[in-house]
Amino acid sequence: MSGALAVFDLGKTNSKLFVFSPDGTLLDERRTKPVWKEFCGRSVLDDERLFAWMTHELAEVAAAHGVTRLMISAHGCAFALVRGNQLLHPILDYEQEIPDAVAAAIDPILPDFKETYTPWLPLGFSIARHIYWLETEEPDAFAATEAILCYPQYWVWRFTGRKLAEWSYLGAHSQLWAPLKRDFSSLVERLGWRDRFPAIAPAGAVVGETSVTLADGSKRAIAVHNGVHDSNSALAYYRMTGLSDFTLVSTGTWVIIINLDCPLGALDQGRDMIANVTVNGEPAPSLRFMGGREYDLISDGWNKPISQAAVERVMERGVFALPSWAAGGPFPETRGYIVGGEANGEDRAAVAALYVAMMTDLSLDLIKSENLLVVDGGLAKIDLFTAMLAQLRPSQTVVRSTMSEGSATGAAALAFKALGLAPFKDETIPVAASRIPGLEAYRARWRELAEGARAAARAVPEVEGASQ
């Protein structure tokens, strides 16, 4: 391979560009924030603004680093309706609920959990609900649709004109895919959507070409690889570096935990446990909660270091943040609140860090994690978080990524694999457990409070139903 590889890693909150040399060296990185705006009463992506940023930055890195290839990793729960070279409706923001009348029609016909291994999920966490929303309220646009494109493949289409699909995104809690059949779900058949989904190409496969205009007016041809779902890209990265028998804790806006050793029968649909799909089409038992978002909410946006002393102070006072502070996760019935008194500044951030550690630890138990723990993403950079996790999981080895961009590096690895290259090696490092007095007792009390609140919330519908 000649030339460098550009990887767009498109998150809900942050969009990034990374440039890798053929030997895996990171040459450059650039960042922006996607803009969400209102369109016909719906929150949608300003895709033209993001595309303008992407094309501008791609031209710059092509000139600066000799980029000749492009790969895309993207967050889940987004799709596009397209015809020819036209986007028929802006891309929906998944953090909005569908109207009650639409929900009343689609929710009763969602597939059984044992078919898709996806429970009912709120908002647009299952893109089938949002697709149905547009079919119901924008019938002309839907009738004109030639292809429903998953989010990474939307950008592949923007750059190449090709309409494609890909396993890891189709199977990302979408209600569109039946993992054990390796085929579309009964819902897709029932609603007549199968022909709207284009042919599947593997993540990383070379699928087309684009060109960029450099500052001197010359053109540069760029080969384009098929895109991938971000957390499944991170999983693929660690598997390709030689790791096996591990649980991935992939962190960002979401904390997504994937343990391939977890039996599918252990997945509890009431706790946001699902089967994602790997880039090879295999079921990938997963659990997720919006840990990065929740940390920001609880901590009031704290972005400075947190000392162990602050953690010990709030523990001694018995201050707990209880779930949930965002939609989804293993406590969907409860709404987040703090007990034990007020906390501000660093102490408030310590409460937030403890919350995310407690939620991660509980989630690891739910997903039957007893193997190596690999922590990736933004939280991998927080020593206190990884150290507390290691203290809470003494029977497991905890390692963290030193580059903490698993989804982008996984996307690069998939593109390189398609070219017969394997430049990345295992770069994880062991995490030393913290020695915070009383952390285990704090966990026990946190679980008691959290599970008690969940039990109380779950009992309410039963009582109401019994009285009718």
Side-chain angles (χ1 to χ4, degrees), residues 252-450:
T253 300
W254 289 88
V255 173
I256 300 178
I257 299 172
I258 305 175
N259 178 19
L260 297 180
D261 291 342
C262 177
L264 290 175
L267 299 180
D268 182 349
Q269 61 179 311
R271 309 213 72 163
D272 210 345
M273 300 180 72
I274 57 180
N276 277 309
V277 172
T278 72
V279 295
N280 300 320
E282 313 153 280
S286 308
L287 184 154
R288 80 273 172 76
F289 64 98
M290 209 178 277
R293 173 71 54 77
E294 292 184 299
Y295 175 83
D296 287 342
L297 290 170
I298 298 168
S299 71
D300 290 330
W302 183 269
N303 59 4
K304 302 174 185 176
I306 304 168
S307 67
Q308 181 171 320
V311 169
E312 292 178 0
R313 281 196 302 270
V314 297
M315 287 175 53
E316 185 176 352
R317 291 175 52 207
V319 183
F320 298 86
L322 298 178
S324 293
W325 296 74
F331 293 91
E333 306 90 349
T334 59
R335 293 296 171 261
Y337 60 102
I338 290 178
V339 299
E342 286 298 316
N344 298 297
E346 185 185 4
D347 284 6
R348 179 91 177 188
V351 174
L354 282 164
Y355 172 84
V356 178
M358 296 299 115
M359 285 285 284
T360 303
D361 175 61
L362 174 67
S363 298
L364 289 166
D365 282 351
L366 291 173
I367 206 164
K368 309 298 182 186
S369 175
E370 298 176 350
N371 46 22
L372 175 70
L373 281 182
V374 179
V375 185
D376 166 81
L379 292 181
K381 302 174 185 177
I382 303 175
D383 291 342
L384 181 66
F385 169 76
T386 56
M388 287 196 296
L389 194 60
Q391 180 177 342
L392 293 169
R393 315 292 298 186
S395 65
Q396 293 176 268
T397 298
V398 180
V399 300
R400 67 174 180 86
S401 168
T402 56
M403 53 82 192
S404 73
E405 297 289 354
S407 60
T409 313
L414 288 164
F416 287 139
K417 180 182 178 183
L419 304 172
L421 302 175
F424 299 111
K425 310 301 178 188
D426 178 19
E427 41 66 45
T428 59
I429 59 174
V431 172
S434 59
R435 297 180 180 179
I436 301 175
L439 184 62
E440 291 78 9
Y442 183 93
R443 169 177 59 185
R445 180 59 176 155
W446 183 89
R447 288 195 180 189
E448 181 183 9
L449 292 169

Side-chain angles (χ1 to χ4, degrees), residues 2 35 46 90 109 118 141 192 198 208-209 224 282 370 375 418 421 430 435:
S2 61
V35 173
D46 189 339
I109 63 173
T118 297
E209 186 176 282
V224 179
E282 313 153 280
E370 298 176 350
V375 185
L421 302 175
R435 297 180 180 179

Side-chain angles (χ1 to χ4, degrees), residues 23 33 42 84 170 182 196 299 310 364 368 382 451 453:
D23 66 1
K33 290 185 177 294
R42 306 180 185 100
L170 283 172
R182 293 174 66 98
R196 309 285 181 127
S299 71
L364 289 166
K368 309 298 182 186
I382 303 175
E451 294 290 1

Side-chain angles (χ1 to χ4, degrees), residues 1-7 17-23 25 27-28 30 57-70 212 214 218-223 416 419:
M1 169 185 170
S2 61
L5 169 72
V7 175
L17 169 62
F18 299 92
V19 179
F20 296 89
S21 68
D23 66 1
T25 301
L27 301 175
D28 201 348
R30 300 164 185 226
E57 299 297 334
L58 184 59
E60 286 209 344
V61 297
H65 303 290
V67 166
T68 59
R69 296 185 172 274
L70 171 63
V212 293
L214 306 186
S218 63
K219 299 281 189 179
R220 172 73 56 84
I222 308 284
F416 287 139
L419 304 172

Side-chain angles (χ1 to χ4, degrees), residues 10 44 98 102 148 191 257 352 371 398 426:
L10 305 176
V44 300
I98 64 178
V102 179
I148 302 172
L191 296 177
I257 299 172
N371 46 22
V398 180
D426 178 19

